[in-house]
């Protein structure tokens, strides 16, 4: 399988402040890859290093097998990038902005721009300073998609978009990936990552703590158990091997089961159970395991 992005022990230090430490990620051609972590975890530092906006302290990064620093110009011709803080030229119309970026890249396909404008439901004839945040984000996405890139690097791409356009965005990147393009996206919206990404990497305090397919992460992470008792049960009752993240709401307990679920159910059945439900962990549950649970 062809590798599009690869980092090896990629490290960026900011003096005494932490940046990223020994980041190792690999993204394959045609893959939709999610890059997850809260603000300050190292997502933007990693992306900016890949784009040669900042230089690493040590380690290496390649895109298309080319060095991200030495071959930055050749790499940039083949990718599109949407930053997390989109800042557009306010006095230009959306159309003029897209024409300008097309000319910078050497060509502008008006039909492609119109196609994506229709998909994202945005009027390109208004000045950008008159646009809402969501409409500015739409124009930035059109600029990325219309160039027919081999790789899309998207930092919080659905920021400011309403739910219907978020769904359209997910459909568009699925289509892009089916056509052989690679998508690398960071997002705080874990539900959309779960719907569309093939694999994810989770970064915590500058280090990669997980990098797998969502399916494999779910298998490893266990199940969510919700149980309501007909009698008063103290939280100490759940100090059982294989149970973590116990919380209580309106008389019901919710917990993560990572051990033998039969053993856990046997322990719980010593109490008078009113109702019980077991479901697989979703990506948000898994993410919170790594952060709130200190994994």
């Amino acid at each position: 399988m062809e590798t599009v992005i690869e980092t090896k022990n990629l490290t960026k230090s900011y003096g005494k402040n932490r940046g990223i430490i020994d980041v190792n990620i690999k993204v394959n051609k045609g893959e939709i890859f999610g890059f997850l972590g809260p603000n300050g975890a190292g997502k933007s530092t990693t992306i900016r290093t890949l784009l040669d906006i900042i230089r690493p302290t040590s380690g290496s990064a390649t895109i298309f097998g080319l060095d991200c620093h030495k071959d930055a110009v050749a790499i940039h011709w083949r990718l599109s990038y949407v930053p997390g803080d989109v800042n557009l030229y306010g006095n230009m119309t959306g159309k003029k902005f897209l024409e300008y970026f097309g000319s910078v890249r050497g060509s502008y396909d008006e039909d492609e721009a119109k196609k994506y404008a229709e998909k994202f439901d945005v009027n390109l004839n208004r000045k950008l300073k008159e646009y809402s945040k969501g409409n500015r984000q739409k124009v930035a996405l059109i600029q990325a998609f219309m160039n027919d890139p081999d790789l899309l690097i998207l930092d919080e791409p659905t920021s400011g978009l309403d739910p219907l356009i978020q769904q359209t965005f997910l459909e568009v990147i699925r289509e892009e990936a089916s056509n052989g393009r690679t998508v690398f996206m960071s997002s705080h919206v874990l539900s959309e990552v779960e719907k569309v990404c093939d694999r994810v990497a989770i970064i915590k305090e500058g280090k990669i703590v997980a990098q797998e397919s969502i399916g494999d992460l779910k298998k490893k992470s266990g199940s969510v158990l919700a149980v309501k008792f007909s009698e008063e049960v103290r939280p100490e009752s759940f100090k059982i091997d294989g149970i973590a993240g116990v919380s209580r709401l309106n008389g019901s307990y919710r917990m993560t089961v990572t051990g033998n679920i039969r053993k856990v159910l046997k322990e719980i059945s010593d109490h008078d159970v009113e109702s019980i439900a077991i479901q697989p962990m979703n990506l948000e549950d898994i993410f919170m395991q790594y952060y709130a649970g200190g994994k």
Side-chain angles (χ1 to χ4, degrees):
M1 190 174 291
E2 182 181 342
T3 300
V4 174
I5 298 174
E6 185 171 16
T7 68
K8 294 181 179 179
N9 297 325
L10 190 66
T11 298
K12 175 62 180 178
S13 300
Y14 298 100
K16 295 181 180 179
N17 298 319
R18 175 193 51 76
I20 55 174
I21 305 164
D22 293 333
V23 167
N24 292 288
I25 55 177
K26 184 181 283 190
V27 182
N28 299 314
K29 183 177 180 180
E31 190 170 40
I32 304 174
F33 189 93
F35 195 40
L36 311 179
N39 291 334
K43 300 191 308 298
S44 292
T45 295
T46 303
I47 290 173
R48 288 169 184 164
T49 305
L50 288 172
L51 294 168
D52 196 42
I53 296 171
I54 58 176
R55 305 281 165 75
T57 305
S58 61
S60 64
T62 60
I63 295 179
F64 311 124
L66 303 172
D67 183 272
C68 285
H69 171 50
K70 295 177 182 177
D71 304 305
V73 174
I75 290 170
H76 290 179
W77 276 112
R78 297 177 59 187
L79 65 77
S80 286
Y81 167 54
V82 175
D85 50 350
V86 173
N87 188 13
L88 308 181
Y89 303 123
N91 285 322
M92 284 186 174
T93 64
K95 181 180 178 182
K96 287 296 182 184
F97 174 82
L98 295 175
E99 287 177 352
Y100 170 72
F101 265 81
S103 67
V104 169
R105 294 186 68 98
S107 65
Y108 170 66
D109 188 329
E110 186 174 0
D111 290 337
E112 279 291 290
K114 285 182 178 178
K115 179 184 78 174
Y116 287 112
E118 289 175 2
K119 285 179 182 288
F120 292 126
D121 189 24
V122 59
N123 179 359
L124 297 178
N125 293 316
R126 295 178 61 192
K127 287 190 175 182
L128 292 170
K129 63 184 179 182
E130 299 172 359
Y131 282 22
S132 65
K133 175 178 171 57
N135 281 334
R136 290 195 300 271
Q137 190 72 14
K138 292 174 186 179
V139 173
L141 290 171
I142 294 169
Q143 176 272 138
F145 289 122
M146 74 176 190
N147 294 318
D148 196 24
D150 294 320
L151 169 65
L152 289 150
I153 296 181
L154 310 174
D155 193 357
E156 300 297 337
T158 60
S159 175
L161 300 183
D162 66 57
L164 287 176
I165 299 301
Q166 286 179 17
Q167 186 59 42
T168 299
F169 166 79
L170 297 181
E171 292 169 0
V172 168
I173 63 169
R174 285 192 194 100
E175 184 179 341
E176 297 293 321
S178 70
N179 290 328
R181 295 182 184 91
T182 305
V183 181
F184 181 93
M185 60 179 278
S186 75
S187 177
H188 285 117
V189 187
L190 300 182
S191 58
E192 71 183 18
V193 172
E194 184 169 10
K195 287 177 184 176
V196 76
C197 288
D198 303 300
R199 289 191 305 128
V200 297
I202 298 174
I203 188 167
K204 179 181 180 180
E205 296 177 356
K207 298 180 180 179
I208 301 296
V209 294
Q211 182 174 190
E212 298 184 68
S213 72
I214 291 175
D216 286 343
L217 271 177
K218 286 182 176 181
K219 287 176 186 177
K220 285 184 177 181
S221 299
S223 304
V224 176
L225 177 66
V227 58
K228 188 171 185 178
F229 298 98
S230 301
E231 59 182 2
E232 181 64 26
V233 177
R234 297 176 64 83
E236 295 79 34
S237 302
F238 301 110
K239 290 185 177 179
I240 304 168
D241 287 343
I243 284 184
V246 179
S247 61
R248 186 178 185 182
L249 180 65
N250 299 327
S252 295
Y253 283 93
R254 188 177 187 273
M255 62 202 75
T256 300
V257 180
T258 55
N260 186 317
I261 197 161
R262 289 184 180 181
K263 180 181 176 182
V264 171
L265 291 174
K266 184 177 179 181
E267 294 277 357
I268 288 175
S269 66
D270 289 342
H271 303 280
D272 191 2
V273 177
E274 181 177 318
S275 63
I276 192 166
I278 304 170
Q279 61 187 33
M281 295 184 74
N282 60 31
L283 187 57
E284 184 170 352
D285 295 322
I286 295 168
F287 183 81
M288 292 307 298
Q289 262 193 342
Y290 281 95
Y291 271 86
K295 195 167 180 177

